[in-house]
Amino acid sequence: MAELEISHLGKSFGAFEALKDITLTIQSGEFICLLGGSGCGKTTLLRLVAGLEDHNKGDILLGGKDLTAIPCHKRNIGMVFQSLALFPHLNVGDNIGYGLNLRGESKAVVRKEVDRLLGMIGLDGLADRQVSALSGGQRQRVAIARALALSPDIFLMDEPFSALDAALRDQMQIEVKRIQRALGVTTIFVTHDQREAMALADRIVIMQDGKIEQAGPPDVLYAQPQTRYVAEFIGTNNIFDLTFTNEGVLFGETNLGKAKGKNEGVLGTHSVAVRPEAITLTKASKTGLIGTLTTQRRLGAVIEREIDVNGQTVFQSAFAGQGDGFAEGDTVAISWGPDAAWVIPA
Amino acid sequence: MISERAGTTAISTVTFIVLAVFFVVPLALMIIVSFYKSDPMAFYEVAFVWDNYAKFFSSFYYTVSVRSLYTAVLGAVVVVAITFPTVLAISELSRRWQLFWIILLLSLMCLSEVIIGFAWLILMSESVGLPRFLEWIGLWTNPRSLSPSFGAMLIGLVYLGFSIVALILYPQAARRDRSIEEAALTLGTPPMLVFFKVVLPAFRTSLISVTLTMFVYLLGVFVMPTMLGRPKDWTMTVIISDKALGDANLPLGAALAVIMLIVTALVLLVSVLATRRAEP
């Protein structure tokens, strides 16, 4: 395994610039999720690493070797496609053993490796079955096994679970994570589902408009978003435009008191992110932020609320049993702890 | 109010009547006439004789039927072999260019076989066609007309089948999952082998089906063999027409047609069974 270095990578389709100056280093054995909305460039980046598209500028180095000079079929890349792309004319065993057969491995070696991979994905004894006779989850597993059969240097997955139902998707996420950990293969996983990215990745790369907005471990992205886009994209967030002064923090005309904790000493107007679970609701008082509870939904163990504060909707969530006793239409006061407010740098 | 069941029955009945009128009745008439006695003055005389079928086993008809099958098989294979890669190439073009080619192919199907035949006659003629062009660029010193010949006839047949095969294969080619080809690449397949390793096998059933369709179609083509082929290249269709209309021997023409129908059905049956057995 080796480190993958992407530097100043650019890709255009005619006048459309799909990737703009992408620079990213992926450590050996790391599990990276490329996360972003449609058209953000995540799949294009994956396809450039795979060699399925030609780049316009920049470099892709694998262990110091220029990957862009190597054609796709010689890159030793394992890739799982969104459509899975299993070969319909081959059975399960032949699909998994396709690459090994192509390399000229003996039948015995191919059979042994296919059986090993089938065991790893929990499909023992299904080598002779047609892929059309498999369930959605089984097909996913076969696609993963086929991509891993050649012991690839990099394992790429392009939204492979997008067609699965929620339960099967959760199950496959656990499977993929287990296999990736067991093999230690460097993995790049493309998804538009932030929940999936949070569950899988060692590091999430959030992309927008062909650029990397922020890259980092899931908990860091969640707690310390570097841009407003990331703050709004990862989970639900309350973004307040606050003015920090020596007299206190102002939300419009309301003085919320002096900045404390990590925000002490901050001056000027900033966008501040506060997660719904960090917001505390109390009966209305004469000070602080006052609003009207407009919506209250109980979702099992969690209660989600929306409070209208001077025209801005504030989201609040709490475990059921904690902070109960509010009804829609109530006038409430909202507050948060000194370290719960994250001043977005950009 | 008509019930759903009554509606289905009515549609089935109409379908059956249409099939009977346009297919079963003419076929039955042909089979009946094939047992009649030949009468050059009145086309046929009502009788029940095997003479017309017995004539098939003469070397002439036997040779013609084998040649017809050979021509149809060769034509079908060549037309599919040429058209399939072309259709794949068209499916890779932009939507606008794909539409252009599809409209062009549809337009070609509107042309009369006779017009196409004449066009090829001109193209292969010694005076203004391909031979003259080859002479002009110095590749042929003493040019002569390329038709009539077996090759010219085959070209005519391939031309006729091209649009049909292209329009049959195009929807599948346009809708095919390109990621299968990309998956083959990521698994180490050289680009030149991707076609043979995954594209061709994925289309196998369709290609066999369209080849059989072409085989049947080319077996019945009449104009191209007469216009572009030599008499010794003529297929059974031409001979049947010649016997039935030229020699006014309708019973012999009918018997030859029935035999060709049985042979064609047998060829198709064997092909379908072999294909099913070979399927994974």
Side-chain angles (χ1 to χ4, degrees), chain A residues 47 50 52 72-73 77 79 81 83 85-89 95 98-99 102 130 146-147 150, chain B residues 177 179-191 193-194 197-199 201-202 280:
Chain A
R47 291 173 64 80
L52 295 169
C72 174
H73 68 285
I77 299 277
M79 185 159 176
F81 292 80
S83 68
L86 294 175
F87 303 133
H89 60 288
N95 260 283
Y98 177 89
L102 207 66
Q130 288 305 308
R146 185 182 68 173
L150 294 174
Chain B
D177 182 2
S179 59
I180 286 179
E181 292 149 51
E182 293 178 342
L185 278 174
T186 62
L187 290 166
T189 317
L193 279 183
V194 169
K197 284 280 185 186
V198 295
V199 180

Side-chain angles (χ1 to χ4, degrees), chain A residues 86 121 123 126 129 133-143:
Chain A
L86 294 175
I121 59 171
L123 294 180
L126 294 188
R129 188 168 292 186
L134 299 178
S135 69
Q138 288 174 326
R139 288 163 61 85
Q140 295 279 348
R141 288 185 171 91
V142 173

Side-chain angles (χ1 to χ4, degrees), chain A residues 35-316:
Chain A
L35 177 65
S38 297
C40 71
K42 54 190 189 298
T43 296
T44 304
L45 178 55
L46 194 81
R47 291 173 64 80
L48 284 172
V49 173
L52 295 169
E53 301 280 356
D54 293 325
H55 71 310
N56 296 122
K57 57 184 176 184
D59 296 305
I60 306 173
L61 304 175
L62 181 65
K65 195 167 59 178
D66 182 9
L67 215 53
T68 59
I70 303 170
C72 174
H73 68 285
K74 290 182 178 172
R75 286 194 186 190
N76 197 27
I77 299 277
M79 185 159 176
V80 178
F81 292 80
Q82 192 169 7
S83 68
L84 302 184
L86 294 175
F87 303 133
H89 60 288
L90 300 179
N91 62 26
V92 169
D94 290 340
N95 260 283
I96 296 173
Y98 177 89
L100 295 167
N101 279 319
L102 207 66
R103 279 188 184 173
E105 299 287 355
S106 70
K107 279 188 177 176
V109 169
V110 173
R111 187 73 204 187
K112 193 178 166 190
E113 186 60 12
V114 166
D115 287 343
R116 187 187 71 79
L117 287 161
L118 282 172
M120 184 184 77
I121 59 171
L123 294 180
D124 303 79
L126 294 188
D128 295 327
R129 188 168 292 186
Q130 288 305 308
V131 290
S132 56
L134 299 178
S135 69
Q138 288 174 326
R139 288 163 61 85
Q140 295 279 348
R141 288 185 171 91
V142 173
I144 291 167
R146 185 182 68 173
L148 293 172
L150 294 174
S151 303
D153 293 328
I154 308 171
F155 184 33
L156 308 174
M157 302 182 86
D158 185 10
E159 304 202 42
F161 307 145
S162 57
L164 299 183
D165 60 56
L168 194 52
R169 179 186 286 220
D170 288 349
Q171 191 189 336
M172 286 308 301
Q173 285 168 5
I174 294 166
E175 286 286 313
V176 163
K177 189 81 177 174
R178 178 182 65 79
I179 291 168
Q180 196 270 342
R181 283 279 173 270
L183 299 177
V185 60
T186 308
T187 303
I188 306 177
F189 189 105
V190 164
T191 181
H192 63 269
D193 181 349
Q194 45 148 313
R195 196 172 154 270
E196 189 167 69
M198 299 286 277
L200 285 170
D202 295 327
R203 205 150 50 101
I204 297 175
V205 177
I206 298 184
M207 297 181 67
Q208 190 207 10
D209 195 22
K211 292 181 292 190
I212 293 176
E213 282 284 318
Q214 188 177 349
D219 53 341
V220 172
L221 287 183
Y222 189 79
Q224 299 162 14
Q226 296 299 303
T227 66
R228 190 175 181 123
Y229 177 82
V230 175
E232 289 174 333
F233 192 82
I234 293 282
T236 308
N237 225 334
N238 295 295
I239 313 288
F240 300 104
D241 291 321
L242 302 179
T243 305
F244 291 76
T245 66
N246 290 324
E247 285 72 41
V249 181
L250 301 176
F251 176 69
E253 299 295 315
T254 310
N255 190 330
L256 304 177
K258 288 203 168 183
K260 293 175 187 167
K262 64 190 178 193
N263 295 329
E264 197 173 339
V266 175
L267 289 171
T269 300
H270 298 279
S271 293
V272 173
V274 184
R275 291 288 175 186
E277 64 272 20
I279 287 181
T280 307
L281 225 57
T282 52
K283 297 284 182 190
S285 58
K286 287 183 180 173
T287 58
L289 278 180
I290 307 297
T292 305
L293 180 60
T294 53
T295 309
Q296 182 166 254
R297 293 186 303 158
R298 178 158 186 157
L299 306 169
V302 175
I303 296 177
E304 289 185 354
R305 300 187 180 96
E306 291 179 21
I307 303 111
D308 181 76
V309 179
N310 297 339
Q312 178 173 350
T313 300
V314 175
F315 300 95
Q316 190 262 350

Side-chain angles (χ1 to χ4, degrees), chain B residues 54-155:
Chain B
K55 282 176 188 163
F56 174 78
F57 294 100
S58 68
S59 66
F60 174 72
Y61 293 113
Y62 172 77
T63 308
V64 170
S65 57
V66 170
R67 190 170 63 221
S68 300
L69 292 173
Y70 166 74
T71 305
V73 168
L74 184 66
V77 169
V78 171
V79 71
V80 173
I82 290 173
T83 313
F84 180 50
T86 311
V87 169
L88 288 178
I90 291 173
S91 71
E92 294 299 326
L93 300 173
S94 67
R95 297 300 297 176
R96 185 191 295 184
W97 279 107
Q98 284 187 43
L99 192 65
F100 166 80
W101 282 107
I102 294 307
I103 291 171
L104 188 72
L105 289 169
L106 279 168
S107 309
L108 292 179
M109 290 182 75
C110 299
L111 294 176
S112 150
E113 268 188 55
V114 178
I115 302 286
I116 295 168
F118 272 119
W120 279 110
L121 273 178
I122 294 166
L123 276 171
M124 293 180 188
S125 70
E126 185 184 332
S127 53
V128 292
L130 187 65
R132 177 53 60 93
F133 175 73
L134 292 175
E135 183 194 26
W136 182 62
I137 60 171
L139 287 178
W140 202 354
T141 46
N142 294 308
R144 58 181 177 78
S145 179
L146 292 170
S147 68
S149 66
F150 181 79
M153 183 181 76
L154 194 66
I155 287 172

